[in-house]
């Protein structure tokens, strides 16, 4: 539509800039954004990803899912650039902001926040079923459990170990209200 991105390339997205962003909202526990097996060469720029408010289910399992960790053709060459991914309300159970389960995936200059769930771990970014490499650069990452986690679940492919993971320039935060 000819609109410009509200934050320049190389600069981190902020919630205050989300007004004009296209919005993807899931109405249930499924991702608002997911990549099919074999999806490749996508760069998603300047999107807001969240859930409906109030959340009509007890648990939102993940707002963005780049692969499920069990496909023989994982998504590859996918970059999330300047996204605002967040839980929509303080009382919603959001288990994961972004799941990275593929090859050559990146999250850059994004803001992932309000990821918390009562009674279970939560992660801003997690991966368990992809080979990598992964780049996590210059993001704001806010989760009650692990801000970034790789592993923790058996991959669907025997012998698969996520590797070549670069984490640089990120800001990690945990709200005291989640304690």
């Amino acid at each position: 539509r000819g609109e410009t991105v509200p934050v320049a390339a190389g600069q981190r997205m902020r919630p205050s800039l989300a007004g004009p962003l296209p919005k993807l909202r899931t109405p249930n526990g499924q991702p608002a954004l997911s990549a099919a097996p074999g999806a490749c060469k996508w760069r998603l720029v300047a999107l807001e990803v969240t859930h409906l408010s109030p959340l009509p289910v007890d648990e939102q399992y993940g707002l963005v899912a780049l692969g499920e960790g069990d496909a023989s053709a994982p998504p590859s060459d996918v970059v999330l650039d300047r996204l605002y991914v967040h839980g929509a309300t303080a009382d919603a159970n959001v288990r994961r902001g972004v799941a990275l389960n593929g090859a050559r995936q990146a999250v850059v200059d994004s803001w992932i926040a309000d990821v918390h769930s009562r009674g279970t771990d939560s992660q801003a970014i997690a991966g368990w079923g992809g080979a990598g490499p992964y780049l996590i650069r210059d993001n704001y990452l806010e989760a009650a459990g692990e801000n970034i986690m790789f592993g923790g679940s058996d991959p669907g492919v025997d012998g698969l170990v996520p590797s070549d993971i670069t984490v640089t320039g990120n800001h990690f935060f945990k709200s005291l209200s989640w304690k």
Side-chain angles (χ1 to χ4, degrees):
R1 298 187 300 178
E3 296 176 15
T4 59
V5 175
V7 61
Q11 300 295 310
R12 184 183 300 154
M13 176 57 68
R14 295 185 313 274
S16 63
L17 301 173
L21 297 179
K23 318 279 190 240
L24 299 176
R25 292 186 177 111
T26 179
N28 53 39
Q30 298 300 308
L33 175 63
S34 62
C40 67
K41 298 187 179 176
W42 284 89
R43 182 178 202 94
L44 300 162
V45 179
L47 297 170
E48 181 178 357
V49 183
T50 189
H51 58 80
L52 291 180
S53 176
L55 187 60
V57 295
D58 290 337
E59 185 91 23
Q60 206 303 314
Y61 292 97
L63 295 168
V64 177
L66 300 182
E68 295 296 322
D70 58 0
S72 60
S76 64
D77 302 288
V78 179
V79 177
L80 304 179
D81 183 358
R82 291 169 278 164
L83 269 58
Y84 176 36
V85 178
H86 64 97
T89 60
D91 62 344
N93 289 317
V94 177
R95 189 173 290 186
R96 190 164 299 108
V98 174
L100 298 177
N101 289 304
R104 296 176 304 282
Q105 296 178 338
V107 181
V108 298
D109 300 330
S110 295
W111 192 284
I112 303 172
D114 283 319
V115 180
H116 48 82
S117 183
R118 286 178 298 282
T120 187
D121 277 0
S122 57
Q123 302 88 29
I125 297 175
W128 60 91
Y134 297 108
L135 173 63
I136 302 168
R137 184 189 72 218
D138 194 31
N139 303 288
Y140 174 91
L141 302 173
E142 178 183 292
E146 300 81 22
N147 294 72
I148 298 174
M149 183 179 85
F150 282 91
S153 181
D154 291 333
V157 178
D158 287 339
L160 181 72
V161 176
S163 60
D164 195 11
I165 302 166
T166 302
V167 178
T168 184
N170 297 281
H171 179 88
F172 298 93
F173 181 78
K174 294 195 185 303
S175 173
L176 290 177
S177 67
W178 299 337
K179 186 175 180 183

